[in-house]
Amino acid sequence: MRLIFGLCLAAVAASPALADYWNYKDWHVVTEPHVTEQDSYLTCRASSGGDGDPILAVEVFSGDAGPPAFYPMAKVQEYAPRHHPTLMQQGGTVDFIFDFDRSFSIAAGINSWINDEGLAEAESALRFQDHLVMLQMMKQGRWVEIWAGNDMFYEASLSGFTAAYGKMMDACGFSLDLPAG
């Protein structure tokens, strides 16, 4: 019996640390510890979408520089089914249009690729100067439309974003404050 108990404890001690999860309305936060021989840090991510829809996400690492020098980048990630392309294509742009000010949009470039399993993936890439503006707009809005060219391919809910952003930043040791826009 002691041998079995000892083996179970050894297996638990050898397994990687587990991630923590929280839900805030339509947003989810996950923190995942990473431990290497040289360093240990947390990856903290807030996201909405998935389950076949694109994912709108914000991510930080506990070892990075944080606000006010650097704000995390919001991005859209798209994963296409096998043998299908992504709607976001390399060299194109996506536009983020918010519910409360449809005359204003934020554009982001697109990076797309084929992963090691042969599946198409793509993600948006905001310019550095747009990181804070995007977060401020997300904090104010109820939803954001994401357009690739002339096609709206995803409408992301922002319900719960502010709480999820605060939890993500707190978990990775950064200031919760997001200056007003």
Side-chain angles (χ1 to χ4, degrees), residues 80-103:
R82 187 169 301 282
H83 307 298
H84 291 274
T86 56
L87 296 174
M88 298 191 302
Q89 291 292 304
Q90 184 70 33
T93 59
V94 292
D95 291 300
F96 299 91
I97 300 173
F98 295 86
D99 61 313
F100 61 92
D101 186 357
R102 299 194 54 78
S103 65

Side-chain angles (χ1 to χ4, degrees), residues 9 11 30 57 84 88 95 115 117 128 135-136 144 154 173 178:
L9 285 177
V30 61
H84 291 274
M88 298 191 302
D95 291 300
N115 69 18
E117 296 175 3
F128 178 78
L135 294 171
Q136 290 168 333
V144 58
Y154 185 51
L178 188 57

Side-chain angles (χ1 to χ4, degrees), residues 142-179:
R142 291 180 296 134
W143 47 262
V144 58
E145 292 177 355
I146 302 164
W147 291 73
N150 293 325
D151 299 314
M152 182 184 76
F153 74 95
Y154 185 51
E155 182 178 284
S157 170
L158 297 173
S159 178
F161 168 73
T162 302
Y165 177 85
K167 180 64 178 180
M168 173 193 77
M169 295 300 279
D170 183 51
C172 268
F174 296 112
S175 168
L176 306 176
D177 296 332
L178 188 57

Side-chain angles (χ1 to χ4, degrees), residues 39-113:
D39 199 9
S40 64
Y41 62 94
L42 282 175
T43 300
C44 302
R45 177 181 170 98
S47 64
S48 184
D51 292 333
D53 286 329
I55 297 168
L56 179 58
V58 180
E59 185 174 87
V60 295
F61 301 95
S62 62
D64 283 349
F70 177 79
Y71 287 91
M73 178 177 66
K75 61 184 171 184
V76 175
Q77 299 169 305
E78 181 187 4
Y79 304 92
R82 187 169 301 282
H83 307 298
H84 291 274
T86 56
L87 296 174
M88 298 191 302
Q89 291 292 304
Q90 184 70 33
T93 59
V94 292
D95 291 300
F96 299 91
I97 300 173
F98 295 86
D99 61 313
F100 61 92
D101 186 357
R102 299 194 54 78
S103 65
F104 175 81
S105 67
I106 298 173
I110 297 172
N111 296 316
S112 62
W113 62 92

Side-chain angles (χ1 to χ4, degrees), residues 8-26:
C8 289
L9 285 177
V12 169
S15 68
L18 299 175
D20 289 320
Y21 301 91
W22 296 269
N23 291 310
Y24 299 94
K25 297 185 182 179
D26 295 331

